[in-house]
Amino acid sequence: MSKTIGQVLRELRKRDNLTQEQVAEALNVSFQSISRWENGFSYPDVTLIPVIARFFDVSSDILFDMDDHEREQNRERYEMDYKEQRKNGDIDACRDTAKAALEQFPRDYHAMMNLAETLQLYSLGSAKQREEYAKEKYAAQIRSLCERVLEDCRKEQERGRATLLLCRYYAEAGNNAEALQMANNIADLEHCRDVLLGEILTGEEKKRHLQKAMLKAVDYVASTLVHIACDKDYEILDSLSVDERIEYVKTANQLYELLMPDGNYQFFHRIVGWNNRRLAELYLLKQDSEKAYEQLLAAEKHAEMYDTLTDNHYTALFVRMLTYLPSEYYKCWQGSERGMLLYRMKELEKYFCGHNGFLAMKARLEQATQNEKEVRLE
């Protein structure tokens, strides 16, 4: 063995950001005992070994410095599989991978939040997935996972993920008071991590962080404009005229253009393209099929640019230090952007009867996606 059990215990305690007193209280021993174990002056009673192992979510072998490398490799494998599946929109596989990770690592709070976020995606997916969300009581499972993380986990990143999901759970359940109480305990925009890091970091790291923060801020404002114009849950769109809703969505796209005037939107080709499709639907409400068609053409351009990305570096002045990492952006459906646009265009066919441009676009998209699995959301 390369490490004593005391050295392993110290590493596990520090890994979980625990004091000796906290560990002692959990194990029902004195903090002096923990200190003696860690310093090699004594060893835990053999009957405490399984208790300590369960507390730190490790096997007894780990306490004796055995199989640690293999265990971490397994964790990394689960995480890599999960990210790849989320990137590809295979949420069934994501769910199964997160569950398998939790079976092997029952106190892995990161895996808990991966599972909770995946289950939440079922409420946004196809009709079949939404049915599963209700039938399997995924909302209750999400609440249970998030509450466990908030009760036991000391890692702020996982606690933040849990708080966000739990706030949404309470709001959807009509418990606004609980949701507001949780939300009001979180730092406001001016005191959030991104703002503070922008003040603390220096040099190239500071520049990169500020560019990333600006991109996040623009995306937040743009997304909010689109939600106001198109999302009934925001309870605002009924008070807006169609022309006003169009202005909201157009302004959202203009914000992305201001930050990336060279047209190299990387990930945001997806978002801008989807907004173009929303604009097409809004123009159809005004019975203006030509302007609707122009927006669909723009959506097609962005879908193709996203599907054919080869270099993931942003190039515009304000974001040129950034790189789009596909593994960090998730979706809840499978297929390409052109496949999704084709799926949505089929819903609009009745408004473009005999429109040659629309029919030609549909044919192009069918050609481009002929070797793909057809996108299906219902």
Side-chain angles (χ1 to χ4, degrees), residues 20-25 29-37:
Q20 290 182 341
E21 288 81 0
Q22 288 172 318
V23 176
E25 183 180 356
V29 298
S30 67
F31 80 87
Q32 292 92 341
S33 293
I34 304 297
S35 178
R36 287 196 296 270
W37 296 347

Side-chain angles (χ1 to χ4, degrees), residues 321-335:
M321 299 184 74
L322 304 182
T323 300
Y324 163 48
L325 300 175
S327 61
E328 293 184 359
Y329 291 85
Y330 304 142
K331 59 183 181 179
C332 59
W333 51 275
Q334 294 178 268

Side-chain angles (χ1 to χ4, degrees), residues 194-262:
D194 285 338
V195 171
L196 294 176
L197 285 176
E199 298 173 359
I200 296 168
L201 296 173
T202 59
E204 294 296 294
E205 193 176 9
K206 184 186 189 79
K207 293 178 185 177
R208 185 177 296 104
H209 174 80
L210 289 174
Q211 289 194 2
K212 187 174 183 179
M214 288 190 296
L215 186 55
K216 282 184 181 179
V218 164
D219 184 45
Y220 173 75
V221 175
S223 297
T224 301
L225 288 169
V226 174
H227 281 305
I228 290 172
C230 303
D231 193 338
K232 289 184 178 181
D233 290 340
Y234 272 57
E235 299 179 355
I236 297 176
L237 69 84
D238 287 341
S239 65
L240 298 174
S241 68
V242 175
D243 284 332
E244 288 172 332
R245 293 169 65 188
I246 287 172
E247 283 305 307
Y248 268 79
V249 182
K250 286 173 66 175
T251 301
N253 276 3
Q254 288 166 359
L255 288 174
Y256 293 114
E257 184 180 356
L258 284 170
L259 201 62
M260 296 168 280
D262 64 353

Side-chain angles (χ1 to χ4, degrees), residues 120 123-124 133 138-139 142 164-176 179 233:
Q120 179 66 25
S123 68
L124 308 172
Y133 179 85
Y138 282 167
I142 292 167
L164 178 63
L165 273 187
L166 206 51
C167 278
R168 289 173 176 168
Y169 168 84
Y170 286 132
E172 290 171 4
N175 190 350
N176 283 348
D233 290 340

Side-chain angles (χ1 to χ4, degrees), residues 152-171:
D152 300 335
C153 181
R154 293 163 183 82
K155 294 181 179 178
E156 288 304 318
Q157 183 176 6
E158 308 308 337
R159 292 180 62 83
R161 294 168 75 189
T163 300
L164 178 63
L165 273 187
L166 206 51
C167 278
R168 289 173 176 168
Y169 168 84
Y170 286 132

Side-chain angles (χ1 to χ4, degrees), residues 119-168:
L119 296 181
Q120 179 66 25
L121 289 176
Y122 279 81
S123 68
L124 308 172
S126 66
K128 181 180 178 181
Q129 288 166 340
R130 295 195 299 272
E131 181 181 350
E132 181 175 339
Y133 179 85
K135 182 179 179 181
E136 300 298 329
K137 296 181 172 58
Y138 282 167
Q141 293 184 46
I142 292 167
R143 176 181 179 178
S144 177
L145 288 163
C146 291
E147 287 179 341
R148 184 177 173 190
V149 168
L150 291 176
E151 287 172 4
D152 300 335
C153 181
R154 293 163 183 82
K155 294 181 179 178
E156 288 304 318
Q157 183 176 6
E158 308 308 337
R159 292 180 62 83
R161 294 168 75 189
T163 300
L164 178 63
L165 273 187
L166 206 51
C167 278
R168 289 173 176 168

